[in-house]
Amino acid sequence: MKNPHMPWHGQAGEANQEIFSHFMGPQLAWGPVCSIVRMLRGSDRPDALVLFVLFPPKAAPGKRRYGSFYRLATVGHVLANDPALISTIQGDLAQRPGYSLGLVVNEPLPVPVGWGGEKQWGASNAHIAQPRWLFSECDHEEMSAVDQLQLARFVFGVEPTFSVHTGGKSVHVYYRLKESVSTERFTQLQRLVGGAYEHLSPGCKVDRSLSKPAQVMRLAGGYHPHTGALATIHTASDTVINADALEARLRGLLPPPPPVPTTRLQRPRLASARHRGGPVTMEQIREGLDRIAPFVSGQGQRPEFIRFVGGLRAVVLEAGGSDAVALALVLEHSPGVLDAEDYFKTDWSRITAGSFWYLGGGAPKRGADPRFIAAAHFLAAKGYQ
């Protein structure tokens, strides 16, 4: 088979400079790399893709973090101990002190013919096939590896399929699903996992950012940049879990969601295109949501999604609800938005409820005043939310 390896690419797609011909520093332990790839992809599909990533250390406060570098390979070349692949990875690690070796856990789709995108294939959520693996980690300085594994067993209900001791303070745990799931379902399950960790052990510092299908995780066989210790495979088992059963377990571990209010205190806002027949109710908000097409990450919908989130937050507030209620409605309405929670970290209070009704085709019909609806449509069309 022809070697398909591509040169290292940074985030802007530029090729890496000449690599070291002689590797200086600790040798990469290729055995654990092969073992991880074999567990994640199997050994019966030599053409399955593996995306290795060199990722930088966290930047100091106020400093810019450097970009990652990627190398796309196949299972066949990894398991065959391809000398060119190994020497290139070793050389590039030597050139970049402080960088770590990782990989995108879930499998990328086949590279499209003629692919020439700026981003390395496999590094985007849109490049990932249906995910088959869930994973988690805790960053608590004083939480032992034994305690981290015990917490993982309690959250997932079973031993990890395998775990990796990073050489630092964390143990990463991985669980193989019985069947692959959509990227949206993967993100939902990862969020539930993080929520269960936080509810059961609030001080564990679980990494809640691990919800992206193209998530990079530290790879066994490399060295931790701060401790110099080798990342190793810590445990391994034949665990396979059912996604539906896991979701039911996780929801059972979490506290029940707050009750959704059905009415609100009277508070007139012209920009919300309120109807004069009475206060807005959650039922009417849900009817409005039904008239708005779901949003999906990576489709160039960010400006409209910001208007949607800001308008929904405003109208839920008018109905007596909270941001938690608004976020729950957003996740239910648009599960394809993989970073919806991040939009709630920004103050969008300048966007009024009128934007929500505009996106939904108009305010509630019962008792609606056409002049208010027309005013909201006019203002939204002019860019005044």
Side-chain angles (χ1 to χ4, degrees), residues 20 100 114:
F20 280 11
S100 299

Side-chain angles (χ1 to χ4, degrees), residues 154-157 195-197 199-200 247-255:
F154 197 85
V155 170
F156 287 90
Y197 266 88
H199 180 63
L200 295 171
E247 180 177 354
R249 175 182 178 82
L250 295 172
R251 294 191 184 280
L253 292 174
L254 290 169

Side-chain angles (χ1 to χ4, degrees), residues 212-228:
K212 299 178 177 62
Q215 181 66 49
V216 176
M217 297 290 281
R218 189 179 300 277
L219 186 57
Y223 292 83
H224 196 284
H226 300 306
T227 66

Side-chain angles (χ1 to χ4, degrees), residues 7-10 14-20 69 88 91-92 95-96:
W8 284 105
H9 282 72
E14 66 273 13
N16 182 26
Q17 302 296 317
E18 180 182 358
I19 64 169
F20 280 11
F69 290 81
T88 300
D92 275 87
Q95 278 191 308
R96 296 177 174 83

Side-chain angles (χ1 to χ4, degrees), residues 11 124 161 284 329:
Q11 289 181 328
S124 171
T161 308
Q284 290 166 334
L329 290 172

